[in-house]
Amino acid sequence: MAKHDWQLDEVKELFNLPFADLIYQAQTAHRQNFDPNTVQLSTLLSIKTGGCPEDCKYCPQSIHYDTGLNPDPLMPLDDVLAAARNAKAGGATRFCMGAAWRSPTYSQVNQVADLISAVKDEGLETCVTLGMLDEVKTQTLAEAGLEYYNHNLDTSPDYYGDIITTRTYQDRLDTLRHVRDAGIKVCCGGIVGMGESRKDRAGLLAQLANLPEHPESVPINMLVRVEGTPASEWEGISQIEFIRTVAVARIMMPSSFVRLSAGRTEMTLEGQALCFLAGANSIFCGDKLLTTPNPEKNEDMQLFEELGITPSVA
Ligand code: SAM
Ligand code: DTB
Ligand code: SF4
């Protein structure tokens, strides 16, 4: 039985383990639940870019910060389909579509439902991240056959108010509940390297692992510092601390996919290799995340080759 009653002190104890002991424990949990030499590939597409009314201090798409980003309206179906076919040809098994909305309108949800059906027809799993949802909107997405909804808690409840003021932690938990109730799988994680303390990283992971069910997918993002956002000034964390965070996530949510998400362009190949050793078993593949760069596909494939990792087809 997976554990859902993590106390902050227990999580902090994991973070404080000697590195070798932590990695050993994470690798053991990983091997009990997954093939350790397989990594799942997801592809990300921004289907609606910029102009977002929220004030998330890390985000280049918020209207509150001047990041020089050109906003784009919702992408037409044909363009989305072309990107999905390309992703499939490149070996991706899941196609994730992100929109810079606070919360989509009913009409926008219907439009995204059409995109989901079309992408599924190409033989890809679908994931979308659209902001806050109520029961009706989650139901519409479930009926379109959506497999995963990404909605991050981002950080600990204590640090949250320093990062976002335009929606509450509870709003996020409510959306996650609606997604779960509609039978859609949950993709939920956060961002580290935002000037938070280790206690906050532990607090984020405790929130995730203490949800009624563990998210099927847990993206751990290293903050991408974008000029113009308040976050560009913040102090980051070392790669070792990032790897520790991945390892603790793996131990606490042993059967979830832990995704090494944003921030890989700032990591060394050795740092990424240690993330896989610590239990990360999913990445975003393709040269762009939503608005910022990601490693080139061939660089990722070369790293996989060197590590004997097979991209998964499941
Ligand atoms: N607007 C929707 C929302 O916030 O739920 C969906 C899109 S939003 C860009 C998706 C996630 O991207 C955020 O929750 C955040 O965790 C992540 N993100 C955004 N900017 C980032 C950055 N600069 N570095 C790392 N992760 C980032
Ligand atoms: C997630 O946790 N990370 C992805 C995905 N979910 C949508 C987004 C990362 C965005 C990084 C900044 C950007 O490219 O705009
Ligand atoms: Fe908007 Fe999402 Fe960016 Fe926050 S993270 S500003 S909600 S696009």
Side-chain angles (χ1 to χ4, degrees):
M1 253 303 267
K3 179 171 158 68
H4 291 265
D5 59 352
W6 288 91
Q7 302 299 308
L8 208 47
D9 281 345
E10 294 176 279
V11 187
K12 285 196 320 205
E13 270 171 36
L14 288 175
F15 267 99
N16 290 339
L17 283 172
F19 193 69
D21 292 346
L22 176 62
I23 299 297
Y24 181 69
Q25 206 174 312
Q27 179 65 203
T28 306
H30 194 182
R31 280 170 187 266
Q32 281 163 1
N33 291 280
F34 291 100
D35 171 353
N37 304 311
T38 297
V39 168
Q40 186 268 336
L41 304 186
S42 290
T43 294
L44 198 49
L45 178 71
S46 181
I47 56 168
K48 187 267 169 187
T49 307
C52 181
E54 300 288 277
D55 70 352
C56 313
K57 290 196 175 70
Y58 51 75
C59 187
Q61 304 199 67
S62 164
I63 49 165
H64 298 269
Y65 320 118
D66 183 6
T67 59
L69 187 76
N70 279 332
D72 267 325
L74 187 60
M75 206 181 254
L77 179 80
D78 285 351
D79 294 2
V80 173
L81 267 185
R85 287 186 187 128
N86 209 12
K88 177 101 195 283
T93 57
R94 192 175 310 158
F95 194 65
C96 309
M97 296 174 270
W101 283 317
R102 167 182 164 76
S103 176
T105 61
Y106 293 105
S107 144
Q108 285 164 339
V109 167
N110 288 332
Q111 286 172 276
V112 174
D114 290 342
L115 298 180
I116 291 166
S117 310
V119 171
K120 279 175 69 76
D121 287 346
E122 296 297 319
L124 283 156
E125 278 187 325
T126 51
C127 176
V128 296
T129 179
L130 314 171
M132 288 187 283
L133 297 180
D134 62 17
E135 291 92 336
V136 177
K137 292 169 186 174
T138 39
Q139 202 47 50
T140 306
L141 295 174
E143 279 161 19
L146 179 70
E147 276 97 357
Y148 289 84
Y149 194 79
N150 168 237
H151 198 65
N152 291 338
L153 289 176
D154 279 353
T155 189
S156 70
D158 287 348
Y159 195 57
Y160 184 85
D162 289 27
I163 309 292
I164 300 137
T165 68
T166 46
R167 75 169 86 149
T168 66
Y169 214 79
Q170 189 57 49
D171 288 332
R172 291 185 185 249
L173 293 169
D174 290 346
T175 293
L176 292 171
R177 195 183 63 249
H178 298 145
V179 170
R180 194 48 97 193
D181 288 350
I184 300 166
K185 289 180 195 150
V186 172
C187 171
C188 182
I191 311 177
V192 296
M194 298 198 291
E196 78 284 343
S197 63
R198 187 180 263 189
K199 183 168 165 237
D200 292 312
R201 289 186 281 283
L204 165 68
L205 295 181
Q207 285 288 326
L208 294 169
N210 290 345
L211 288 169
E213 282 178 66
H214 291 168
E216 281 78 5
S217 207
V218 180
I220 308 288
N221 296 277
M222 177 82 110
L223 172 70
V224 180
R225 274 184 191 69
V226 179
E227 195 131 348
T229 62
S232 63
E233 310 285 324
W234 293 342
E235 201 184 321
I237 55 168
S238 70
Q239 288 190 64
I240 298 289
E241 183 66 12
F242 185 87
I243 296 155
R244 280 186 183 274
T245 310
V246 168
V248 176
R250 164 54 65 223
I251 294 164
M252 294 172 73
M253 293 166 280
S255 58
S256 303
F257 278 83
V258 174
R259 183 170 309 120
L260 168 55
S261 301
R264 289 197 296 121
T265 49
E266 297 300 310
M267 285 177 207
T268 60
L269 294 178
E270 294 79 3
Q272 294 182 57
L274 279 168
C275 286
F276 298 130
L277 195 64
N281 58 349
S282 172
I283 58 166
F284 285 119
C285 193
D287 58 7
K288 203 170 171 196
L289 291 163
L290 290 172
T291 66
T292 63
N294 197 41
E296 297 286 336
K297 174 94 196 285
N298 60 353
E299 292 174 62
D300 285 341
M301 292 309 119
Q302 216 175 317
L303 176 62
F304 280 6
E305 171 92 38
E306 232 183 315
L307 299 176
I309 285 176
T310 314
S312 88
V313 284

